[in-house]
Amino acid sequence: MADVGIAGAGLAGPLLAVYLSRRGHDVTLYERRPDPRLAGAAGRSINLALSARGIDALERVGLAHDVMGHGLAMKGRMMHDRSGQLAYQAYSADGSKAINSISRHGLNGLLLDAAAKEPGVVLHFEERAVAVVAETGELTLEGPSGRHTVTHEVVIGADGAYSALREAVVRSERADYRQEHLPWGYKELTIAPDASGGFALDPGALHIWPRGDSMMIALPNPDRSFTATLFWPFEGDAGFAGLDAPDAVRARFDRDYPDAAERFEDLAGEFARNPVGSLVTVRVWPWVRGRLGLLGDAAHAIVPFFGQGMNCAFEDVVELDHCLGETADDWPAALATYAERRKPNADAIAELALDNFVEMRDKVASPVFRLGKRVEHAIERWAPEHFDSLYELVSFTTVPYVEARRRAAAQRRFPANLAALGAAGAARAADAVRKVVP
Ligand code: FAD
């Protein structure tokens, strides 16, 4: 069994530590931040949507039940127009399937607790990985006691979108590397509970204020607040730049989000204090060099518009575990197979996530688009063996992303698919469509 060093104890790092420990490996996790479980480290409440792929990965090591106990199910999107009118769209054809709003901080703590309980897992906080020699597994760290070097048989870079360990791969011969930022950034704000302490908005939905060139979304928290995220261009009329004065901030919200403007905990204060994050897609190849492998955002950061970055990172962990199983823990062979299998899927979800930004900030505002979704769901209900929406395949199944994209593209060739249904099936589908199209 191997001695494995993992840089990064965010979401994927500790889950990987649990999986590896169950296989009998020794694991040391190095995290640059202080331990987030310690008092005072909570910070702002930020949440994520957890769906089938992530749940499956947690389930396999017995963590899904605990995590889901802290989640809030969101069965659809609630669109808010400029006049405050609401339009609801279920995520699944039968309206019953949900994605789950989970606290990032809470999930991180739960995963760290799970890793710490495993035999053979050691956690080090405030230790930043600064470099790795991929051929020897020599890892240089910087911590409170200065710079030092450790050596592991295998080193995994799970150190996020701006991974330091990725450098060792990028610098290798014939490596491909592309880091693309969107001209939009994001900022998180808090929508407070209402005057009676309840949710200010329906907690069973993910809320979207689509405004064409920008949008705001909000996901519920167990404390009955919502975390709202602005996705605005950095520059221009709808952008963050130059919007400093509290009155101007309030005027922008009164104009664009009038039904939410009153509901923020501290609109001007949080707007001034909270940073604007950037939205990056990272494509790199290879993912493996010598004793070093990349996993999660370090290998494939994607934009958050399909709610899949973490889910995809957790799927990486499952695939690496499969590959170790298939090769009787032959690390070089397992890492190579893991990378070959995951790379096309990571590329597919990166592309789908970029496409979904247009859908969320613009298309969902259109009644015609929403009608199209109802038609899609009607057909799925009547011919489930032939139709699954892209959203269902991505969020409610573990069908590989490449296959989900292929099936969704094939389904867009609608007339041909109707033919495949045969006369009776086509008649049923047409009947279903007539029920939702006025
Ligand atoms: P991270 O969670 O980023 O963890 C990396 C860890 O490495 C961090 O703890 C960091 O401190 C540490 N680190 C960094 N550098 C070093 C170093 N040099 N040495 C040691 N430690 C280091 N995904 C979803 O599935 N659903 C969502 O709804 C969703 N919403 C999102 C919303 C936003 C605004 C953003 C930006 C992302 C969202 N994501 C979502 C994506 C998700 O956050 C990431 O895909 C996920 O966190 C990736 O996990 P990771 O462990 O690879 O990286």
Side-chain angles (χ1 to χ4, degrees):
M1 288 295 125
D3 163 31
V4 183
I6 302 177
L11 298 181
L15 183 64
L16 178 64
V18 172
Y19 270 77
L20 295 183
S21 167
R22 304 263 171 110
R23 302 195 68 78
H25 298 289
D26 289 326
V27 182
T28 311
L29 272 161
Y30 303 97
E31 167 58 47
R32 73 171 174 194
R33 295 168 308 159
D35 188 339
R37 297 167 298 172
L38 299 180
R44 291 179 288 140
S45 77
I46 295 177
N47 45 31
L48 298 143
L50 173 71
S51 50
R53 295 161 201 272
I55 296 169
D56 174 64
L58 294 165
E59 186 88 63
R60 288 165 187 267
V61 283
L63 295 174
H65 183 259
D66 277 1
V67 172
M68 295 293 281
H70 299 280
L72 290 165
M74 302 177 291
K75 292 186 178 170
R77 297 162 162 168
M78 187 73 83
M79 272 71 71
H80 297 238
D81 76 10
R82 280 184 198 272
S83 64
Q85 289 274 30
L86 303 180
Y88 179 76
Q89 193 182 86
Y91 278 132
S92 62
D94 67 2
S96 72
K97 294 179 193 154
I99 57 173
N100 304 278
S101 177
I102 299 281
S103 149
R104 183 187 284 269
H105 176 78
L107 178 58
N108 191 198
L110 201 142
L111 291 170
L112 288 169
D113 280 345
K117 273 192 214 138
E118 291 291 321
V121 175
V122 179
L123 303 170
H124 292 291
F125 294 94
E126 297 180 70
E127 289 284 355
R128 173 199 290 265
V130 288
V132 61
V133 182
E135 289 70 25
T136 60
E138 230 178 279
L139 182 62
T140 304
L141 298 154
E142 225 168 51
S145 54
R147 205 171 251 237
H148 59 111
T149 300
V150 293
T151 301
H152 291 283
E153 289 171 77
V154 178
V155 177
I156 302 292
D159 51 344
Y162 296 96
S163 165
L165 296 198
R166 190 167 61 217
E167 278 304 297
V169 171
V170 171
R171 275 187 277 103
S172 64
E173 252 182 62
R174 297 193 308 281
D176 292 323
Y177 179 58
R178 226 161 82 215
Q179 174 180 294
E180 283 170 302
H181 286 96
L182 288 183
W184 284 263
Y186 71 94
K187 186 190 282 280
E188 283 137 342
L189 304 171
T190 312
I191 293 179
D194 65 16
S196 54
F199 285 104
L201 306 167
D202 177 355
L206 185 153
H207 294 260
I208 310 183
W209 289 257
R211 297 295 178 259
D213 50 0
S214 67
M215 70 171 178
M216 177 168 82
I217 66 167
L219 278 72
N221 296 312
D223 68 0
R224 291 167 195 256
S225 66
F226 276 78
T227 303
T229 309
L230 305 172
F231 293 96
W232 288 3
F234 285 103
E235 309 292 337
D237 282 351
F240 287 111
L243 191 63
D244 301 320
D247 286 353
V249 171
R250 181 57 204 242
R252 170 80 63 89
F253 278 74
D254 284 341
R255 186 191 74 189
D256 287 348
Y257 317 114
D259 62 332
E262 287 290 348
R263 301 184 186 276
F264 288 92
E265 200 166 272
D266 170 18
L267 177 59
E270 280 199 331
F271 193 90
R273 276 192 309 276
N274 295 351
V276 179
S278 45
L279 297 164
V280 68
T281 302
V282 171
R283 295 182 182 86
V284 61
W285 188 254
W287 287 5
V288 180
R289 183 177 166 206
R291 292 164 184 258
L292 171 68
L294 301 177
L295 182 134
D297 276 13
H300 50 68
I302 62 175
V303 294
F305 305 112
F306 228 123
Q308 285 297 310
M310 161 190 64
N311 289 287
C312 178
F314 285 180
E315 251 192 351
D316 288 354
V317 173
V318 173
E319 186 63 66
L320 180 53
D321 183 59
H322 274 151
C323 294
L324 286 165
E326 283 170 21
T327 60
D329 294 272
D330 173 342
W331 273 92
L335 279 173
T337 310
Y338 144 81
E340 290 286 347
R341 288 184 188 162
R342 288 303 291 160
K343 171 68 171 157
N345 288 301
D347 286 346
I349 191 60
E351 185 188 308
L352 294 172
L354 285 164
D355 292 347
N356 220 42
F357 188 26
V358 185
E359 176 165 326
M360 287 179 81
R361 71 169 199 262
D362 194 9
K363 290 188 192 164
V364 293
S366 149
V368 174
F369 176 83
R370 293 203 297 264
L371 180 62
K373 282 280 172 194
R374 285 167 61 199
V375 168
E376 189 178 82
H377 281 165
I379 295 170
E380 276 177 85
R381 281 195 297 276
W382 282 89
E385 67 281 18
H386 290 276
F387 290 91
D388 283 305
S389 74
L390 178 63
Y391 195 89
E392 290 235 22
L393 289 168
V394 167
S395 301
F396 302 132
T397 77
T398 54
V399 168
Y401 293 121
V402 166
E403 174 63 10
R405 184 180 55 180
R406 191 199 62 74
R407 271 162 64 175
Q411 284 166 195
R412 262 180 243 126
R413 295 194 287 277
F414 183 68
N417 278 309
L418 273 188
L421 288 177
R428 265 189 353 219
D431 195 40
V433 171
R434 267 197 296 279
K435 286 191 178 138
V436 295
V437 179

